[in-house]
Amino acid sequence: MPLSSTARRSAAVAAVTAAALAGALLSGTSANATTTAHTTTASSSASSRADRHLTPRTHFTMAPDGSSGKTEGGEGIPNIDSVKKTIATYYGDPGTGIADKTDSPYIREMHSIIEKQTRSLQKTYDRAVRHGEKPAIVFDADDTTLETYDMEVADMHFVFDPAEQDVWVQDQRFPATPSMVGFVAAAQEVGFTVFGLTGRNDDQKAASLANLAKVGYSGFTDDRFFTKWTGKGASQQPSYVTCATAKCTTVEYKALTRKHIEQDLGYDITLNVGDQWSDLQGGFADDTLKLPNPTYYLPSADLPGVREPELAPRTSFRMAADGSSGRTQGGERIPNIDSVKATIATYYGDPGTGIADKTDSPYIREMRSIVARQIPTVAAACTAADRRHRNPAIVLDADDTTLWTYDMEVADMHFVFDPTEQDEWVQDERFPATPAMTNLVSVAERSGCTVIGLTGRNEAQQTATIENLHRVGFPQFAAEQDGNRTYFTKWTGTGTSQQPSYVHCVTAKCTTIEYKSQTRAYIESRAGGGYDVVANVGDQYSDLIGGSADRSVKLPNPTYYLP
């Protein structure tokens, strides 16, 4: 049962308690905690100035293997929704999952890359012939000669499904990768022999060759198109591929196949073309051409004793939160979505199951650090405002501010939000508490603050949300306290659940910022209880923008972005 305001005020000794608790929490914190935003907003102009600081980062350092999740705070990890938007912009995808086939930053970049490479074909060919060699060029398939974007995004939503991929392969649905039909034709006209070398399997070989021919390629023949063995029937590992373990890596398979082309078939591979670094590693080619592809990442260790640091992804990125960087950043400069997923998993201590570690992880340590730093400040603000009879309150968002959604977002939805499935989780009250936040909320209440919830969840989910909060250690939340509404959910537009009079929006559909900032203003108004919001806590910048709070506390969350 929530404490009455009188009981809270009589218990306003929490400043000392908070300092002690903060010290205890600090013993298990990370040095890499994100910086929280804190601003004093006494007027609309002050709010405007404060909002300028409430913006996502645009510079990131990210290793391709996900290891940056151990060292980068949550704000330093590229947000997966922003990555998706950036990729969509790059491919000219208007939000349907279908790439523009006429013009896009991707098409223009491919044209530039291939135009430059085409100019060197004759010179490269002539040099090889002078040395008595048979010049050849090797091409990967997916996203080197055939473009998979529509399958990866519109169909699979960046969650690869091998059975569905086989349907696309057998149906020969893939268009040609931009500019590549012309490049292959130009190479053949000069005199190069062309080879295909793909991770597709032998059962997909005939359909792959037919797809290539259908979209305009010539020169790829059955004997010069290498697919991977299935291990069934006659489709067995060839003698020229020997691997360190029973399951060959991509680099072992591709590099040793190129070795076979050169040493057994007698060709000189003057150029090896691929969209993955693992297409290019391992040698047996005079030169390599990396094509851009941020839509998936297929890592593979290099051959034993071989070091090729130049054949590795970049680790520094610039990315705007709204996806606009896809217009200006080339494909290699866009954070690869698979590397982003791996980084997020590392940060949350997820071993690959989609389930976050609930005991210890970089995320948990960062949350403890943030809360430990915020507790003394929030407690002092609550206590001081209470002593001055200013009716202090702390406002908190729900998802990933007080209730932790990672397992739903990843294990269940695979980063593809499903509102129907989300409602099942809400009604079943499945969410654990966000790490360390029960401490902050408890100290705030004991220091004299009323605890108020403000979430984008809807009114049909309010009861289940409050019950979930109580169940995981937040007894302070209630639909009403002291005769005032103190848990705010969004209207559904059906029945009595309608947009309140204190929320005015530019269009029929209110933005998150319109809804939340005007609700905070209402909370501070006489009609809403006349509270002084001393702290506003959220995991999204849209939870915080718009003023009506003395202090904004941003919690880390790279798993989705709500502008």
mmCIF file of all heavy atoms in Angstrom, residues 311-359:
data_model
loop_
_atom_site.group_PDB
_atom_site.id
_atom_site.type_symbol
_atom_site.label_atom_id
_atom_site.label_comp_id
_atom_site.label_asym_id
_atom_site.label_seq_id
_atom_site.Cartn_x
_atom_site.Cartn_y
_atom_site.Cartn_z
ATOM 1 N N LEU A 311 41.568 -6.713 -44.515
ATOM 2 C CA LEU A 311 40.291 -7.320 -44.875
ATOM 3 C C LEU A 311 39.441 -7.491 -43.616
ATOM 4 O O LEU A 311 39.136 -8.604 -43.180
ATOM 5 C CB LEU A 311 40.517 -8.667 -45.570
ATOM 6 C CG LEU A 311 41.278 -8.610 -46.896
ATOM 7 C CD1 LEU A 311 41.451 -10.004 -47.472
ATOM 8 C CD2 LEU A 311 40.568 -7.707 -47.901
ATOM 9 N N ALA A 312 39.082 -6.387 -43.036
ATOM 10 C CA ALA A 312 38.313 -6.395 -41.792
ATOM 11 C C ALA A 312 37.365 -5.209 -41.771
ATOM 12 O O ALA A 312 37.657 -4.162 -42.346
ATOM 13 C CB ALA A 312 39.257 -6.343 -40.586
ATOM 14 N N PRO A 313 36.216 -5.351 -41.105
ATOM 15 C CA PRO A 313 35.238 -4.258 -41.059
ATOM 16 C C PRO A 313 35.789 -3.053 -40.310
ATOM 17 O O PRO A 313 36.650 -3.175 -39.442
ATOM 18 C CB PRO A 313 34.062 -4.874 -40.296
ATOM 19 C CG PRO A 313 34.279 -6.345 -40.329
ATOM 20 C CD PRO A 313 35.753 -6.547 -40.401
ATOM 21 N N ARG A 314 35.249 -1.889 -40.621
ATOM 22 C CA ARG A 314 35.604 -0.692 -39.879
ATOM 23 C C ARG A 314 34.956 -0.758 -38.491
ATOM 24 O O ARG A 314 34.008 -1.524 -38.266
ATOM 25 C CB ARG A 314 35.200 0.573 -40.620
ATOM 26 C CG ARG A 314 33.727 0.766 -40.831
ATOM 27 C CD ARG A 314 33.411 2.028 -41.631
ATOM 28 N NE ARG A 314 33.781 3.225 -40.898
ATOM 29 C CZ ARG A 314 34.642 4.133 -41.361
ATOM 30 N NH1 ARG A 314 35.224 3.967 -42.535
ATOM 31 N NH2 ARG A 314 34.917 5.208 -40.653
ATOM 32 N N THR A 315 35.457 0.031 -37.581
ATOM 33 C CA THR A 315 34.962 0.010 -36.202
ATOM 34 C C THR A 315 34.462 1.372 -35.722
ATOM 35 O O THR A 315 34.009 1.496 -34.589
ATOM 36 C CB THR A 315 36.067 -0.474 -35.244
ATOM 37 O OG1 THR A 315 37.207 0.381 -35.375
ATOM 38 C CG2 THR A 315 36.471 -1.914 -35.558
ATOM 39 N N SER A 316 34.538 2.384 -36.574
ATOM 40 C CA SER A 316 34.109 3.729 -36.193
ATOM 41 C C SER A 316 32.972 4.162 -37.112
ATOM 42 O O SER A 316 33.068 4.013 -38.344
ATOM 43 C CB SER A 316 35.285 4.704 -36.303
ATOM 44 O OG SER A 316 34.882 6.009 -35.990
ATOM 45 N N PHE A 317 31.909 4.693 -36.515
ATOM 46 C CA PHE A 317 30.720 5.022 -37.289
ATOM 47 C C PHE A 317 30.115 6.353 -36.849
ATOM 48 O O PHE A 317 30.210 6.728 -35.681
ATOM 49 C CB PHE A 317 29.655 3.931 -37.111
ATOM 50 C CG PHE A 317 30.124 2.563 -37.471
ATOM 51 C CD1 PHE A 317 30.678 1.731 -36.498
ATOM 52 C CD2 PHE A 317 30.043 2.095 -38.765
ATOM 53 C CE1 PHE A 317 31.132 0.463 -36.817
ATOM 54 C CE2 PHE A 317 30.499 0.832 -39.098
ATOM 55 C CZ PHE A 317 31.044 0.014 -38.122
ATOM 56 N N ARG A 318 29.472 7.019 -37.805
ATOM 57 C CA ARG A 318 28.634 8.185 -37.522
ATOM 58 C C ARG A 318 27.235 7.849 -37.995
ATOM 59 O O ARG A 318 27.037 7.428 -39.133
ATOM 60 C CB ARG A 318 29.151 9.424 -38.245
ATOM 61 C CG ARG A 318 30.508 9.908 -37.771
ATOM 62 C CD ARG A 318 30.907 11.192 -38.457
ATOM 63 N NE ARG A 318 29.994 12.275 -38.138
ATOM 64 C CZ ARG A 318 30.082 13.509 -38.638
ATOM 65 N NH1 ARG A 318 31.046 13.797 -39.506
ATOM 66 N NH2 ARG A 318 29.229 14.444 -38.293
ATOM 67 N N MET A 319 26.258 8.035 -37.128
ATOM 68 C CA MET A 319 24.886 7.668 -37.476
ATOM 69 C C MET A 319 23.897 8.549 -36.733
ATOM 70 O O MET A 319 23.907 8.607 -35.502
ATOM 71 C CB MET A 319 24.626 6.200 -37.128
ATOM 72 C CG MET A 319 23.245 5.709 -37.542
ATOM 73 S SD MET A 319 22.906 4.022 -36.953
ATOM 74 C CE MET A 319 22.659 4.344 -35.182
ATOM 75 N N ALA A 320 23.049 9.241 -37.473
ATOM 76 C CA ALA A 320 21.978 10.016 -36.872
ATOM 77 C C ALA A 320 20.855 9.072 -36.450
ATOM 78 O O ALA A 320 20.623 8.042 -37.086
ATOM 79 C CB ALA A 320 21.458 11.054 -37.854
ATOM 80 N N ALA A 321 20.141 9.443 -35.407
ATOM 81 C CA ALA A 321 19.105 8.558 -34.865
ATOM 82 C C ALA A 321 17.934 8.372 -35.815
ATOM 83 O O ALA A 321 17.248 7.351 -35.766
ATOM 84 C CB ALA A 321 18.614 9.112 -33.532
ATOM 85 N N ASP A 322 17.699 9.341 -36.691
ATOM 86 C CA ASP A 322 16.503 9.297 -37.540
ATOM 87 C C ASP A 322 16.694 8.538 -38.846
ATOM 88 O O ASP A 322 15.790 8.498 -39.678
ATOM 89 C CB ASP A 322 16.022 10.714 -37.842
ATOM 90 C CG ASP A 322 17.045 11.535 -38.637
ATOM 91 O OD1 ASP A 322 18.142 11.012 -38.941
ATOM 92 O OD2 ASP A 322 16.748 12.709 -38.926
ATOM 93 N N GLY A 323 17.860 7.942 -39.057
ATOM 94 C CA GLY A 323 18.101 7.171 -40.267
ATOM 95 C C GLY A 323 18.646 7.965 -41.433
ATOM 96 O O GLY A 323 18.999 7.401 -42.469
ATOM 97 N N SER A 324 18.754 9.284 -41.279
ATOM 98 C CA SER A 324 19.161 10.133 -42.401
ATOM 99 C C SER A 324 20.597 9.882 -42.856
ATOM 100 O O SER A 324 20.952 10.215 -43.993
ATOM 101 C CB SER A 324 18.983 11.607 -42.032
ATOM 102 O OG SER A 324 19.759 11.942 -40.889
ATOM 103 N N SER A 325 21.423 9.300 -42.012
ATOM 104 C CA SER A 325 22.810 9.031 -42.391
ATOM 105 C C SER A 325 22.901 8.062 -43.563
ATOM 106 O O SER A 325 23.937 7.995 -44.231
ATOM 107 C CB SER A 325 23.594 8.462 -41.205
ATOM 108 O OG SER A 325 23.619 9.374 -40.134
ATOM 109 N N GLY A 326 21.838 7.311 -43.813
ATOM 110 C CA GLY A 326 21.836 6.413 -44.970
ATOM 111 C C GLY A 326 21.950 7.136 -46.293
ATOM 112 O O GLY A 326 22.291 6.527 -47.310
ATOM 113 N N ARG A 327 21.683 8.457 -46.278
ATOM 114 C CA ARG A 327 21.837 9.240 -47.515
ATOM 115 C C ARG A 327 23.278 9.663 -47.749
ATOM 116 O O ARG A 327 23.643 9.980 -48.881
ATOM 117 C CB ARG A 327 20.952 10.495 -47.454
ATOM 118 C CG ARG A 327 19.473 10.202 -47.546
ATOM 119 C CD ARG A 327 18.671 11.457 -47.833
ATOM 120 N NE ARG A 327 18.622 12.348 -46.687
ATOM 121 C CZ ARG A 327 17.693 12.313 -45.745
ATOM 122 N NH1 ARG A 327 16.716 11.416 -45.822
ATOM 123 N NH2 ARG A 327 17.706 13.151 -44.736
ATOM 124 N N THR A 328 24.086 9.704 -46.683
ATOM 125 C CA THR A 328 25.420 10.287 -46.791
ATOM 126 C C THR A 328 26.546 9.316 -46.460
ATOM 127 O O THR A 328 27.668 9.542 -46.875
ATOM 128 C CB THR A 328 25.537 11.500 -45.847
ATOM 129 O OG1 THR A 328 25.252 11.085 -44.494
ATOM 130 C CG2 THR A 328 24.545 12.589 -46.244
ATOM 131 N N GLN A 329 26.254 8.262 -45.733
ATOM 132 C CA GLN A 329 27.284 7.300 -45.353
ATOM 133 C C GLN A 329 27.236 6.100 -46.296
ATOM 134 O O GLN A 329 26.167 5.541 -46.536
ATOM 135 C CB GLN A 329 27.080 6.814 -43.915
ATOM 136 C CG GLN A 329 27.135 7.912 -42.869
ATOM 137 C CD GLN A 329 28.525 8.519 -42.724
ATOM 138 O OE1 GLN A 329 29.535 7.839 -42.798
ATOM 139 N NE2 GLN A 329 28.571 9.820 -42.526
ATOM 140 N N GLY A 330 28.392 5.697 -46.824
ATOM 141 C CA GLY A 330 28.445 4.502 -47.648
ATOM 142 C C GLY A 330 28.131 3.259 -46.845
ATOM 143 O O GLY A 330 28.109 3.276 -45.603
ATOM 144 N N GLY A 331 27.899 2.155 -47.530
ATOM 145 C CA GLY A 331 27.481 0.927 -46.870
ATOM 146 C C GLY A 331 28.434 0.430 -45.809
ATOM 147 O O GLY A 331 28.011 -0.136 -44.791
ATOM 148 N N GLU A 332 29.735 0.635 -46.015
ATOM 149 C CA GLU A 332 30.715 0.194 -45.023
ATOM 150 C C GLU A 332 30.716 1.100 -43.799
ATOM 151 O O GLU A 332 31.261 0.724 -42.753
ATOM 152 C CB GLU A 332 32.119 0.158 -45.633
ATOM 153 C CG GLU A 332 32.334 -0.939 -46.657
ATOM 154 C CD GLU A 332 32.096 -2.331 -46.103
ATOM 155 O OE1 GLU A 332 32.691 -2.663 -45.053
ATOM 156 O OE2 GLU A 332 31.309 -3.080 -46.702
ATOM 157 N N ARG A 333 30.121 2.251 -43.913
ATOM 158 C CA ARG A 333 30.091 3.211 -42.804
ATOM 159 C C ARG A 333 28.781 3.153 -42.018
ATOM 160 O O ARG A 333 28.575 3.947 -41.100
ATOM 161 C CB ARG A 333 30.316 4.633 -43.345
ATOM 162 C CG ARG A 333 31.710 4.832 -43.931
ATOM 163 C CD ARG A 333 31.877 6.209 -44.546
ATOM 164 N NE ARG A 333 33.225 6.388 -45.065
ATOM 165 C CZ ARG A 333 34.245 6.847 -44.364
ATOM 166 N NH1 ARG A 333 34.070 7.177 -43.093
ATOM 167 N NH2 ARG A 333 35.439 6.971 -44.910
ATOM 168 N N ILE A 334 27.920 2.231 -42.389
ATOM 169 C CA ILE A 334 26.687 2.005 -41.650
ATOM 170 C C ILE A 334 26.916 0.827 -40.710
ATOM 171 O O ILE A 334 27.403 -0.221 -41.150
ATOM 172 C CB ILE A 334 25.517 1.716 -42.603
ATOM 173 C CG1 ILE A 334 25.244 2.926 -43.494
ATOM 174 C CG2 ILE A 334 24.256 1.334 -41.826
ATOM 175 C CD1 ILE A 334 24.239 2.661 -44.605
ATOM 176 N N PRO A 335 26.589 0.952 -39.424
ATOM 177 C CA PRO A 335 26.787 -0.185 -38.521
ATOM 178 C C PRO A 335 26.055 -1.427 -39.031
ATOM 179 O O PRO A 335 24.855 -1.381 -39.311
ATOM 180 C CB PRO A 335 26.193 0.303 -37.192
ATOM 181 C CG PRO A 335 26.274 1.794 -37.267
ATOM 182 C CD PRO A 335 26.050 2.135 -38.711
ATOM 183 N N ASN A 336 26.791 -2.523 -39.181
ATOM 184 C CA ASN A 336 26.180 -3.752 -39.677
ATOM 185 C C ASN A 336 25.187 -4.295 -38.648
ATOM 186 O O ASN A 336 25.504 -4.416 -37.470
ATOM 187 C CB ASN A 336 27.265 -4.784 -39.971
ATOM 188 C CG ASN A 336 26.694 -6.032 -40.623
ATOM 189 O OD1 ASN A 336 26.063 -6.847 -39.974
ATOM 190 N ND2 ASN A 336 26.931 -6.164 -41.916
ATOM 191 N N ILE A 337 24.002 -4.647 -39.103
ATOM 192 C CA ILE A 337 22.943 -4.989 -38.154
ATOM 193 C C ILE A 337 23.262 -6.239 -37.347
ATOM 194 O O ILE A 337 22.908 -6.339 -36.164
ATOM 195 C CB ILE A 337 21.579 -5.102 -38.859
ATOM 196 C CG1 ILE A 337 20.454 -5.073 -37.820
ATOM 197 C CG2 ILE A 337 21.513 -6.346 -39.729
ATOM 198 C CD1 ILE A 337 19.102 -4.746 -38.372
ATOM 199 N N ASP A 338 23.949 -7.212 -37.937
ATOM 200 C CA ASP A 338 24.300 -8.411 -37.172
ATOM 201 C C ASP A 338 25.332 -8.099 -36.095
ATOM 202 O O ASP A 338 25.282 -8.663 -34.991
ATOM 203 C CB ASP A 338 24.817 -9.505 -38.094
ATOM 204 C CG ASP A 338 23.697 -10.247 -38.810
ATOM 205 O OD1 ASP A 338 22.518 -10.030 -38.453
ATOM 206 O OD2 ASP A 338 23.991 -11.033 -39.730
ATOM 207 N N SER A 339 26.262 -7.209 -36.396
ATOM 208 C CA SER A 339 27.241 -6.797 -35.387
ATOM 209 C C SER A 339 26.559 -6.004 -34.268
ATOM 210 O O SER A 339 26.927 -6.125 -33.095
ATOM 211 C CB SER A 339 28.352 -5.965 -36.029
ATOM 212 O OG SER A 339 29.109 -6.755 -36.919
ATOM 213 N N VAL A 340 25.568 -5.205 -34.632
ATOM 214 C CA VAL A 340 24.806 -4.465 -33.620
ATOM 215 C C VAL A 340 24.073 -5.440 -32.708
ATOM 216 O O VAL A 340 24.096 -5.302 -31.474
ATOM 217 C CB VAL A 340 23.820 -3.490 -34.291
ATOM 218 C CG1 VAL A 340 22.881 -2.877 -33.256
ATOM 219 C CG2 VAL A 340 24.581 -2.385 -35.016
ATOM 220 N N LYS A 341 23.426 -6.441 -33.284
ATOM 221 C CA LYS A 341 22.732 -7.443 -32.468
ATOM 222 C C LYS A 341 23.698 -8.144 -31.518
ATOM 223 O O LYS A 341 23.380 -8.357 -30.336
ATOM 224 C CB LYS A 341 22.053 -8.475 -33.371
ATOM 225 C CG LYS A 341 20.832 -7.973 -34.112
ATOM 226 C CD LYS A 341 20.237 -9.094 -34.955
ATOM 227 C CE LYS A 341 19.002 -8.646 -35.705
ATOM 228 N NZ LYS A 341 18.439 -9.745 -36.525
ATOM 229 N N ALA A 342 24.876 -8.515 -32.032
ATOM 230 C CA ALA A 342 25.854 -9.204 -31.191
ATOM 231 C C ALA A 342 26.341 -8.297 -30.064
ATOM 232 O O ALA A 342 26.572 -8.750 -28.934
ATOM 233 C CB ALA A 342 27.025 -9.675 -32.045
ATOM 234 N N THR A 343 26.507 -7.014 -30.361
ATOM 235 C CA THR A 343 26.960 -6.055 -29.348
ATOM 236 C C THR A 343 25.910 -5.882 -28.262
ATOM 237 O O THR A 343 26.219 -5.839 -27.067
ATOM 238 C CB THR A 343 27.283 -4.710 -30.003
ATOM 239 O OG1 THR A 343 28.225 -4.907 -31.066
ATOM 240 C CG2 THR A 343 27.872 -3.729 -29.001
ATOM 241 N N ILE A 344 24.650 -5.765 -28.672
ATOM 242 C CA ILE A 344 23.555 -5.641 -27.711
ATOM 243 C C ILE A 344 23.480 -6.882 -26.825
ATOM 244 O O ILE A 344 23.323 -6.792 -25.607
ATOM 245 C CB ILE A 344 22.224 -5.393 -28.447
ATOM 246 C CG1 ILE A 344 22.215 -3.994 -29.077
ATOM 247 C CG2 ILE A 344 21.034 -5.561 -27.503
ATOM 248 C CD1 ILE A 344 21.032 -3.725 -29.992
ATOM 249 N N ALA A 345 23.608 -8.066 -27.438
ATOM 250 C CA ALA A 345 23.563 -9.302 -26.657
ATOM 251 C C ALA A 345 24.670 -9.335 -25.611
ATOM 252 O O ALA A 345 24.436 -9.700 -24.453
ATOM 253 C CB ALA A 345 23.670 -10.508 -27.591
ATOM 254 N N THR A 346 25.874 -8.940 -25.997
ATOM 255 C CA THR A 346 26.989 -8.907 -25.042
ATOM 256 C C THR A 346 26.693 -7.949 -23.906
ATOM 257 O O THR A 346 26.942 -8.256 -22.730
ATOM 258 C CB THR A 346 28.287 -8.484 -25.757
ATOM 259 O OG1 THR A 346 28.579 -9.432 -26.795
ATOM 260 C CG2 THR A 346 29.457 -8.418 -24.799
ATOM 261 N N TYR A 347 26.156 -6.793 -24.227
ATOM 262 C CA TYR A 347 25.858 -5.771 -23.226
ATOM 263 C C TYR A 347 24.860 -6.280 -22.189
ATOM 264 O O TYR A 347 24.978 -5.991 -20.992
ATOM 265 C CB TYR A 347 25.319 -4.541 -23.955
ATOM 266 C CG TYR A 347 24.866 -3.396 -23.090
ATOM 267 C CD1 TYR A 347 25.751 -2.736 -22.243
ATOM 268 C CD2 TYR A 347 23.545 -2.942 -23.153
ATOM 269 C CE1 TYR A 347 25.319 -1.662 -21.465
ATOM 270 C CE2 TYR A 347 23.123 -1.867 -22.392
ATOM 271 C CZ TYR A 347 24.013 -1.240 -21.542
ATOM 272 O OH TYR A 347 23.593 -0.175 -20.783
ATOM 273 N N TYR A 348 23.876 -7.056 -22.634
ATOM 274 C CA TYR A 348 22.859 -7.571 -21.719
ATOM 275 C C TYR A 348 23.203 -8.946 -21.148
ATOM 276 O O TYR A 348 22.383 -9.543 -20.442
ATOM 277 C CB TYR A 348 21.505 -7.643 -22.423
ATOM 278 C CG TYR A 348 20.839 -6.289 -22.584
ATOM 279 C CD1 TYR A 348 21.040 -5.518 -23.727
ATOM 280 C CD2 TYR A 348 20.021 -5.766 -21.591
ATOM 281 C CE1 TYR A 348 20.451 -4.274 -23.875
ATOM 282 C CE2 TYR A 348 19.416 -4.527 -21.730
ATOM 283 C CZ TYR A 348 19.644 -3.789 -22.873
ATOM 284 O OH TYR A 348 19.050 -2.552 -23.003
ATOM 285 N N GLY A 349 24.381 -9.462 -21.453
ATOM 286 C CA GLY A 349 24.761 -10.774 -20.939
ATOM 287 C C GLY A 349 23.940 -11.901 -21.536
ATOM 288 O O GLY A 349 23.751 -12.951 -20.916
ATOM 289 N N ASP A 350 23.460 -11.704 -22.735
ATOM 290 C CA ASP A 350 22.652 -12.695 -23.447
ATOM 291 C C ASP A 350 23.599 -13.661 -24.178
ATOM 292 O O ASP A 350 24.329 -13.252 -25.076
ATOM 293 C CB ASP A 350 21.745 -11.963 -24.437
ATOM 294 C CG ASP A 350 21.020 -12.872 -25.406
ATOM 295 O OD1 ASP A 350 21.131 -14.101 -25.308
ATOM 296 O OD2 ASP A 350 20.335 -12.328 -26.306
ATOM 297 N N PRO A 351 23.570 -14.959 -23.836
ATOM 298 C CA PRO A 351 24.509 -15.904 -24.460
ATOM 299 C C PRO A 351 24.126 -16.320 -25.870
ATOM 300 O O PRO A 351 24.792 -17.158 -26.473
ATOM 301 C CB PRO A 351 24.469 -17.097 -23.502
ATOM 302 C CG PRO A 351 23.076 -17.074 -22.932
ATOM 303 C CD PRO A 351 22.732 -15.606 -22.813
ATOM 304 N N GLY A 352 23.061 -15.749 -26.389
ATOM 305 C CA GLY A 352 22.606 -16.106 -27.726
ATOM 306 C C GLY A 352 21.221 -16.705 -27.724
ATOM 307 O O GLY A 352 20.687 -17.084 -28.767
ATOM 308 N N THR A 353 20.608 -16.747 -26.560
ATOM 309 C CA THR A 353 19.257 -17.291 -26.428
ATOM 310 C C THR A 353 18.174 -16.233 -26.536
ATOM 311 O O THR A 353 16.992 -16.550 -26.627
ATOM 312 C CB THR A 353 19.111 -17.980 -25.052
ATOM 313 O OG1 THR A 353 19.346 -16.994 -24.023
ATOM 314 C CG2 THR A 353 20.118 -19.112 -24.899
ATOM 315 N N GLY A 354 18.573 -14.961 -26.474
ATOM 316 C CA GLY A 354 17.602 -13.875 -26.423
ATOM 317 C C GLY A 354 17.163 -13.558 -25.013
ATOM 318 O O GLY A 354 16.285 -12.718 -24.808
ATOM 319 N N ILE A 355 17.769 -14.210 -24.023
ATOM 320 C CA ILE A 355 17.432 -14.005 -22.618
ATOM 321 C C ILE A 355 18.579 -13.273 -21.925
ATOM 322 O O ILE A 355 19.728 -13.734 -21.966
ATOM 323 C CB ILE A 355 17.173 -15.345 -21.898
ATOM 324 C CG1 ILE A 355 16.071 -16.136 -22.619
ATOM 325 C CG2 ILE A 355 16.810 -15.115 -20.437
ATOM 326 C CD1 ILE A 355 14.720 -15.475 -22.619
ATOM 327 N N ALA A 356 18.279 -12.149 -21.306
ATOM 328 C CA ALA A 356 19.306 -11.365 -20.621
ATOM 329 C C ALA A 356 19.716 -12.032 -19.317
ATOM 330 O O ALA A 356 18.895 -12.662 -18.638
ATOM 331 C CB ALA A 356 18.783 -9.958 -20.335
ATOM 332 N N ASP A 357 20.988 -11.868 -18.964
ATOM 333 C CA ASP A 357 21.472 -12.316 -17.658
ATOM 334 C C ASP A 357 20.831 -11.426 -16.590
ATOM 335 O O ASP A 357 20.922 -10.201 -16.661
ATOM 336 C CB ASP A 357 22.994 -12.202 -17.615
ATOM 337 C CG ASP A 357 23.607 -12.869 -16.397
ATOM 338 O OD1 ASP A 357 23.050 -12.721 -15.293
ATOM 339 O OD2 ASP A 357 24.663 -13.509 -16.542
ATOM 340 N N LYS A 358 20.192 -12.027 -15.616
ATOM 341 C CA LYS A 358 19.508 -11.250 -14.579
ATOM 342 C C LYS A 358 20.388 -11.014 -13.350
ATOM 343 O O LYS A 358 19.968 -10.355 -12.398
ATOM 344 C CB LYS A 358 18.227 -11.965 -14.133
ATOM 345 C CG LYS A 358 17.253 -12.310 -15.260
ATOM 346 C CD LYS A 358 16.845 -11.112 -16.064
ATOM 347 C CE LYS A 358 15.775 -11.444 -17.092
ATOM 348 N NZ LYS A 358 16.178 -12.418 -18.115
ATOM 349 N N THR A 359 21.606 -11.574 -13.356
ATOM 350 C CA THR A 359 22.491 -11.456 -12.197
ATOM 351 C C THR A 359 23.602 -10.445 -12.408
ATOM 352 O O THR A 359 23.840 -9.568 -11.570
ATOM 353 C CB THR A 359 23.111 -12.828 -11.863
ATOM 354 O OG1 THR A 359 22.062 -13.780 -11.687
ATOM 355 C CG2 THR A 359 23.954 -12.748 -10.596
#
